[in-house]
Amino acid sequence: MTSQNSGHDRYALSFTSGALLTREADIALLLYMDMESRDWNAVRVRLVEENRLQSRTRSSADRIARETVQRLAVFTDCELETLSEASPSERNLLMWVAACRRYAFIGEFAEEVVRERYLLLTPALGYDEFDSFANGKALWHPELVHLKESTRKKLRATVFQMLTEAGLLVGGQIQQAMVSERVYDVLDKREPSDIRFLPMRAPMEAIV
């Protein structure tokens, strides 16, 4: 299976500020779409200065706003239109895809473990599978070797929280991703197709 990180660049691992950030993304997206400039940096500034995300501290507001904007910025304006019009469950799935695009580590886990186990009819997914995946990647990514154990546990917990919020993991079992034909088509336009991030047998399981 082709890796997103075939050049073995260092993994970005700064994804522990929140989980899917769907609520935050909804707020940021409204600001973005109301702006003539369509400037994500301006959106981030307004999120922080106006405390749109209702964070308790300035540092927390800045961190979550930056993370939210970085994930939304992986989408084209056409994809953002789809995100804004999607159902709540589809918005969660699209924010999972955003995390997969933004972070190669999450994207490869989604493709090589989550979807692969679903396709092989072995839907049980627990921390052991995550640890095995991370250990295998550590052969090519020394930044994983040097992680503190507490940091590794936080990364693992965040990924599993994302999967749960996206409706892709319930009771330790991988769930089929349910997307409309429109959302499927938007994701499938990418090269390679972003359907690879979702546990589904394309294209039969797209909902008309």
mmCIF file of all heavy atoms in Angstrom, residues 15-21 24 63-64 67 71 154 158 161-162 165:
data_model
loop_
_atom_site.group_PDB
_atom_site.id
_atom_site.type_symbol
_atom_site.label_atom_id
_atom_site.label_comp_id
_atom_site.label_asym_id
_atom_site.label_seq_id
_atom_site.Cartn_x
_atom_site.Cartn_y
_atom_site.Cartn_z
ATOM 1 N N PHE A 15 -1.363 17.097 17.048
ATOM 2 C CA PHE A 15 -2.804 17.026 16.841
ATOM 3 C C PHE A 15 -3.589 16.741 18.120
ATOM 4 O O PHE A 15 -4.732 16.282 18.075
ATOM 5 C CB PHE A 15 -3.152 15.970 15.780
ATOM 6 C CG PHE A 15 -2.551 14.610 16.015
ATOM 7 C CD1 PHE A 15 -3.093 13.725 16.926
ATOM 8 C CD2 PHE A 15 -1.432 14.211 15.293
ATOM 9 C CE1 PHE A 15 -2.555 12.467 17.126
ATOM 10 C CE2 PHE A 15 -0.871 12.953 15.469
ATOM 11 C CZ PHE A 15 -1.444 12.078 16.398
ATOM 12 N N THR A 16 -2.996 17.041 19.274
ATOM 13 C CA THR A 16 -3.662 16.710 20.531
ATOM 14 C C THR A 16 -4.482 17.857 21.100
ATOM 15 O O THR A 16 -4.997 17.759 22.214
ATOM 16 C CB THR A 16 -2.636 16.246 21.583
ATOM 17 O OG1 THR A 16 -1.641 17.260 21.766
ATOM 18 C CG2 THR A 16 -1.957 14.953 21.155
ATOM 19 N N SER A 17 -4.607 18.970 20.366
ATOM 20 C CA SER A 17 -5.466 20.079 20.815
ATOM 21 C C SER A 17 -6.894 19.790 20.391
ATOM 22 O O SER A 17 -7.299 20.062 19.262
ATOM 23 C CB SER A 17 -4.998 21.401 20.202
ATOM 24 O OG SER A 17 -3.705 21.739 20.654
ATOM 25 N N GLY A 18 -7.666 19.206 21.287
ATOM 26 C CA GLY A 18 -9.010 18.791 20.917
ATOM 27 C C GLY A 18 -8.953 17.489 20.141
ATOM 28 O O GLY A 18 -7.911 16.845 20.053
ATOM 29 N N ALA A 19 -10.083 17.094 19.581
ATOM 30 C CA ALA A 19 -10.117 15.874 18.775
ATOM 31 C C ALA A 19 -10.500 16.243 17.346
ATOM 32 O O ALA A 19 -9.693 16.811 16.620
ATOM 33 C CB ALA A 19 -11.077 14.862 19.392
ATOM 34 N N LEU A 20 -11.732 15.978 16.911
ATOM 35 C CA LEU A 20 -12.112 16.328 15.540
ATOM 36 C C LEU A 20 -12.266 17.829 15.334
ATOM 37 O O LEU A 20 -12.084 18.330 14.228
ATOM 38 C CB LEU A 20 -13.435 15.650 15.164
ATOM 39 C CG LEU A 20 -13.403 14.174 14.808
ATOM 40 C CD1 LEU A 20 -14.779 13.742 14.326
ATOM 41 C CD2 LEU A 20 -12.347 13.862 13.753
ATOM 42 N N LEU A 21 -12.667 18.551 16.381
ATOM 43 C CA LEU A 21 -12.852 20.007 16.308
ATOM 44 C C LEU A 21 -13.973 20.397 15.340
ATOM 45 O O LEU A 21 -13.920 21.437 14.697
ATOM 46 C CB LEU A 21 -11.543 20.704 15.896
ATOM 47 C CG LEU A 21 -10.340 20.483 16.816
ATOM 48 C CD1 LEU A 21 -9.090 21.128 16.218
ATOM 49 C CD2 LEU A 21 -10.613 21.059 18.205
ATOM 50 N N GLU A 24 -15.722 23.676 16.462
ATOM 51 C CA GLU A 24 -14.840 24.800 16.194
ATOM 52 C C GLU A 24 -14.749 25.080 14.693
ATOM 53 O O GLU A 24 -14.700 26.238 14.259
ATOM 54 C CB GLU A 24 -13.455 24.516 16.767
ATOM 55 C CG GLU A 24 -13.387 24.464 18.287
ATOM 56 C CD GLU A 24 -13.837 23.134 18.881
ATOM 57 O OE1 GLU A 24 -14.245 22.229 18.107
ATOM 58 O OE2 GLU A 24 -13.793 22.981 20.119
ATOM 59 N N ARG A 63 -4.134 28.236 20.516
ATOM 60 C CA ARG A 63 -3.752 26.876 20.117
ATOM 61 C C ARG A 63 -4.879 26.184 19.356
ATOM 62 O O ARG A 63 -4.650 25.586 18.296
ATOM 63 C CB ARG A 63 -3.380 26.071 21.369
ATOM 64 C CG ARG A 63 -2.884 24.659 21.073
ATOM 65 C CD ARG A 63 -2.399 23.971 22.327
ATOM 66 N NE ARG A 63 -3.466 23.786 23.317
ATOM 67 C CZ ARG A 63 -3.600 24.486 24.428
ATOM 68 N NH1 ARG A 63 -2.745 25.450 24.724
ATOM 69 N NH2 ARG A 63 -4.591 24.250 25.278
ATOM 70 N N ILE A 64 -6.089 26.267 19.866
ATOM 71 C CA ILE A 64 -7.211 25.572 19.229
ATOM 72 C C ILE A 64 -7.601 26.255 17.921
ATOM 73 O O ILE A 64 -7.929 25.586 16.933
ATOM 74 C CB ILE A 64 -8.406 25.497 20.193
ATOM 75 C CG1 ILE A 64 -8.028 24.628 21.410
ATOM 76 C CG2 ILE A 64 -9.627 24.920 19.494
ATOM 77 C CD1 ILE A 64 -9.077 24.592 22.495
ATOM 78 N N GLU A 67 -5.055 25.230 15.294
ATOM 79 C CA GLU A 67 -5.255 23.845 14.869
ATOM 80 C C GLU A 67 -6.497 23.714 13.983
ATOM 81 O O GLU A 67 -6.472 23.022 12.956
ATOM 82 C CB GLU A 67 -5.385 22.941 16.095
ATOM 83 C CG GLU A 67 -5.525 21.469 15.785
ATOM 84 C CD GLU A 67 -4.314 20.888 15.079
ATOM 85 O OE1 GLU A 67 -3.186 21.408 15.280
ATOM 86 O OE2 GLU A 67 -4.485 19.923 14.318
ATOM 87 N N ARG A 71 -6.495 22.626 9.850
ATOM 88 C CA ARG A 71 -7.222 21.473 9.304
ATOM 89 C C ARG A 71 -8.186 21.894 8.198
ATOM 90 O O ARG A 71 -8.271 21.243 7.149
ATOM 91 C CB ARG A 71 -7.966 20.744 10.419
ATOM 92 C CG ARG A 71 -7.029 20.084 11.414
ATOM 93 C CD ARG A 71 -7.743 19.133 12.326
ATOM 94 N NE ARG A 71 -6.964 18.856 13.524
ATOM 95 C CZ ARG A 71 -7.374 18.116 14.540
ATOM 96 N NH1 ARG A 71 -8.573 17.564 14.488
ATOM 97 N NH2 ARG A 71 -6.603 17.937 15.597
ATOM 98 N N LYS A 154 -1.039 10.067 24.824
ATOM 99 C CA LYS A 154 -1.928 11.173 24.471
ATOM 100 C C LYS A 154 -2.265 11.132 22.987
ATOM 101 O O LYS A 154 -3.426 11.334 22.596
ATOM 102 C CB LYS A 154 -1.257 12.502 24.827
ATOM 103 C CG LYS A 154 -2.070 13.733 24.456
ATOM 104 C CD LYS A 154 -3.370 13.834 25.224
ATOM 105 C CE LYS A 154 -4.064 15.154 24.961
ATOM 106 N NZ LYS A 154 -5.409 15.217 25.591
ATOM 107 N N THR A 158 -6.030 10.497 21.556
ATOM 108 C CA THR A 158 -6.643 11.493 20.682
ATOM 109 C C THR A 158 -7.141 10.863 19.385
ATOM 110 O O THR A 158 -8.244 11.159 18.922
ATOM 111 C CB THR A 158 -5.642 12.622 20.362
ATOM 112 O OG1 THR A 158 -5.226 13.251 21.580
ATOM 113 C CG2 THR A 158 -6.271 13.664 19.457
ATOM 114 N N GLN A 161 -10.239 8.976 20.131
ATOM 115 C CA GLN A 161 -11.348 9.902 20.362
ATOM 116 C C GLN A 161 -11.870 10.447 19.038
ATOM 117 O O GLN A 161 -13.081 10.584 18.846
ATOM 118 C CB GLN A 161 -10.902 11.052 21.267
ATOM 119 C CG GLN A 161 -12.056 11.989 21.661
ATOM 120 C CD GLN A 161 -11.605 13.117 22.567
ATOM 121 O OE1 GLN A 161 -10.491 13.121 23.092
ATOM 122 N NE2 GLN A 161 -12.472 14.109 22.751
ATOM 123 N N MET A 162 -10.960 10.758 18.111
ATOM 124 C CA MET A 162 -11.375 11.212 16.785
ATOM 125 C C MET A 162 -12.232 10.156 16.092
ATOM 126 O O MET A 162 -13.286 10.468 15.520
ATOM 127 C CB MET A 162 -10.147 11.514 15.917
ATOM 128 C CG MET A 162 -9.382 12.754 16.276
ATOM 129 S SD MET A 162 -7.982 12.941 15.110
ATOM 130 C CE MET A 162 -7.260 14.468 15.710
ATOM 131 N N GLU A 165 -15.667 10.101 17.738
ATOM 132 C CA GLU A 165 -16.476 11.267 17.386
ATOM 133 C C GLU A 165 -16.944 11.204 15.929
ATOM 134 O O GLU A 165 -18.028 11.701 15.600
ATOM 135 C CB GLU A 165 -15.684 12.553 17.626
ATOM 136 C CG GLU A 165 -15.452 12.860 19.093
ATOM 137 C CD GLU A 165 -14.714 14.164 19.308
ATOM 138 O OE1 GLU A 165 -14.530 14.934 18.341
ATOM 139 O OE2 GLU A 165 -14.307 14.426 20.461
#
